[in-house]
Amino acid sequence: MSIDHPKILMIGPSRESQGGISAVVNGWLASTMRENADIKYLDCSTDGSKVAKFAVGCRSLVRTLIMARNFDLVHIHMGGGNSYYRERYFVKAAVRAGVPTVLHIHDGLFRLLWENRSDHAGKQRIRETLEMCTRVIVLSKEMENYIRSHVSESIRIACIPNGVVCRPPVLPKKLGTILFLGHFDDNKNADVIVRAMGLLKEREPIAKVYFCGDGDVKSHLSLVRKLGLEDTCIYLGWVSGREKQDLLNACSIFCLPSKNEAMPVSLLEAMSNCLAAVVTPVGGMADVVDDGITGRYVIPGDEYSLADVLCDLIEHEGACAKIAEAGRQKVIDSFSEDVTIGRILSLYRSVLEERRGCE
């Protein structure tokens, strides 16, 4: 076992998948992290059919059972939806192999997983899964407090927020351009942005919003057409790479009025590119945004408060730019990729030092 250069078996969704976990992992593996750890990555799921997901999961679980004992530590990334019901088997496999196990919870909806289990046995299984981990990583103070108070105080939690690469921003931004990056569902609340744009149209500020993502696109576009906002609500589909960066370079406001969040990479990317953030004070977003200083808060589900804030930022260009610059500096200081990777490597060393002390 090498504490300074450990062998890590990292398990998570396909690196080709669309989503925040893949973005985080790809950033880590393209960084200096590999100079400090020998990392083997296993896909536990993939985009596509349920059959394809199941096949990938089963194959990787077998490989984990065979390979885990050859590593110093196993790091498992857990997302939302049914991710827990899959990842718990990987946790059990790693623990059974006698390897320190880190479970990394990326999803802000974990509380719904817990609260929706009305049966005692189901909650007990979730509790036992987290308690058997050497560490459980969460992305926000809100989630850390929730797990301690509702699930178990004995779970060993480390709060390590996501981080992004911070490059020099392209300035100036185009006034009145708003960007949404995310999944179209009831949680992300893209429909609230559409209704707010309808209110803005009545006030006549010059504004246009670019919607980028996947999910329930049909319902989203139906609402846009119903409100007659085709000229101001532009749907671009899922974007990545150069196309996404061009939007980050051009837009002046980033909007994510979610009901729940963990630590959205899209928010950190937008703030690091000097977009003024307009968000709800939920999950990790409350750790990043200081209302009126590094961003602006809106009431979840309230298009009227969102329209007011957007209108204010559009009509006061100087104030919008000041908030955007303060937000960028906040990300550089506390949420850069280098800061996050340093904390992850420090956690690895801490876990392995504990293990060495017990041998």
Side-chain angles (χ1 to χ4, degrees):
M1 177 175 64
S2 172
I3 292 177
D4 295 326
H5 197 91
K7 292 180 64 177
I8 308 296
L9 178 60
M10 191 173 288
I11 301 169
S14 168
R15 293 177 60 193
E16 304 300 321
S17 298
Q18 298 175 346
I21 298 179
S22 299
V24 168
V25 168
N26 286 331
W28 289 3
L29 299 184
S31 72
T32 58
M33 189 175 190
R34 278 188 154 158
E35 297 175 8
N36 297 279
D38 182 7
I39 300 172
K40 167 71 174 178
Y41 192 84
L42 275 184
D43 297 347
C44 66
S45 68
T46 185
D47 291 340
S49 67
K50 291 182 179 180
V51 173
K53 293 176 187 291
F54 182 75
V56 169
C58 289
R59 183 171 65 247
S60 292
L61 182 58
V62 171
R63 294 183 69 187
T64 301
L65 289 165
I66 296 170
M67 299 166 50
R69 60 178 51 89
N70 298 321
F71 291 84
D72 299 318
L73 183 146
V74 176
H75 186 156
I76 302 165
H77 296 276
M78 188 181 94
N82 293 321
S83 180
Y84 159 76
Y85 297 101
R86 177 182 60 239
E87 267 64 274
R88 66 178 178 175
Y89 292 106
F90 288 91
V91 169
K92 290 179 179 180
V95 171
R96 185 174 299 174
V99 184
T101 304
V102 174
L103 179 64
H104 200 146
I105 300 177
H106 290 260
D107 186 51
L109 296 176
F110 174 82
R111 66 171 58 202
L112 296 183
L113 170 71
W114 176 258
E115 292 169 358
N116 288 341
R117 292 309 302 256
S118 57
D119 59 304
H120 175 76
K123 286 191 171 181
Q124 183 61 23
R125 283 192 292 271
I126 296 172
R127 182 182 295 111
E128 290 173 352
T129 300
L130 270 58
E131 287 179 339
M132 72 174 63
C133 296
T134 314
R135 292 289 191 282
V136 173
I137 299 176
V138 296
L139 306 184
S140 70
K141 288 294 183 182
E142 179 185 82
M143 184 59 69
E144 178 180 1
N145 294 334
Y146 182 85
I147 291 176
R148 290 192 192 282
S149 61
H150 290 79
V151 184
S152 173
E153 292 184 353
S154 64
I155 297 168
R156 303 190 66 183
I157 302 174
C159 183
I160 304 178
N162 287 331
V164 293
V165 176
C166 299
R167 299 183 179 89
V170 173
L171 298 173
K173 303 292 187 181
K174 187 175 180 181
L175 181 65
T177 49
I178 304 161
L179 180 62
F180 169 89
L181 297 169
H183 194 70
F184 293 95
D185 59 20
D186 184 56
N187 179 57
K188 296 290 185 182
N189 270 344
D191 62 307
V192 177
I193 305 177
V194 176
R195 292 197 295 270
M197 290 298 290
L199 297 173
L200 282 181
K201 192 171 184 179
E202 297 174 3
R203 303 182 192 184
E204 298 185 354
I206 301 173
K208 182 173 291 188
V209 57
Y210 296 96
F211 290 94
C212 307
D214 58 4
D216 188 9
V217 177
K218 184 176 180 180
S219 295
H220 169 77
L221 295 177
S222 176
L223 180 60
V224 170
R225 289 191 294 269
K226 179 180 178 181
L227 298 179
L229 299 173
E230 293 93 336
D231 56 335
T232 58
C233 294
I234 313 301
Y235 174 67
L236 299 177
W238 184 269
V239 297
S240 60
R242 185 70 256 171
E243 186 178 7
K244 181 171 72 171
Q245 189 58 52
D246 287 344
L247 287 165
L248 291 168
N249 291 343
C251 294
S252 58
I253 298 170
F254 176 77
C255 187
L256 190 63
S258 305
K259 295 177 182 177
N260 293 283
E261 284 290 351
M263 178 64 70
V265 174
S266 60
L267 170 64
L268 300 177
E269 288 177 333
M271 292 176 68
S272 72
N273 279 276
C274 231
L275 281 74
V278 178
V279 301
T280 45
V282 298
M285 298 199 293
D287 296 339
V288 183
V289 172
D290 305 300
D291 191 29
I293 301 173
T294 60
R296 294 287 300 274
Y297 285 156
V298 294
I299 301 169
D302 186 348
E303 62 264 32
Y304 295 95
S305 73
L306 178 55
D308 288 342
V309 168
L310 292 176
C311 188
D312 187 48
L313 291 173
I314 293 168
E315 292 181 345
H316 299 89
E317 185 176 3
C320 182
K322 185 177 180 180
I323 285 174
E325 180 54 42
R328 170 175 162 77
Q329 193 59 51
K330 178 75 173 283
V331 172
I332 291 172
D333 292 342
S334 303
F335 301 95
S336 71
E337 187 175 81
D338 288 343
V339 170
T340 295
I341 289 175
R343 296 183 68 183
I344 292 291
L345 292 171
S346 178
L347 181 141
Y348 289 166
R349 287 191 293 270
S350 176
V351 167
L352 295 176
E353 284 170 356
E354 287 177 10
R355 181 175 178 82
R356 176 176 287 179
C358 295
E359 292 178 346

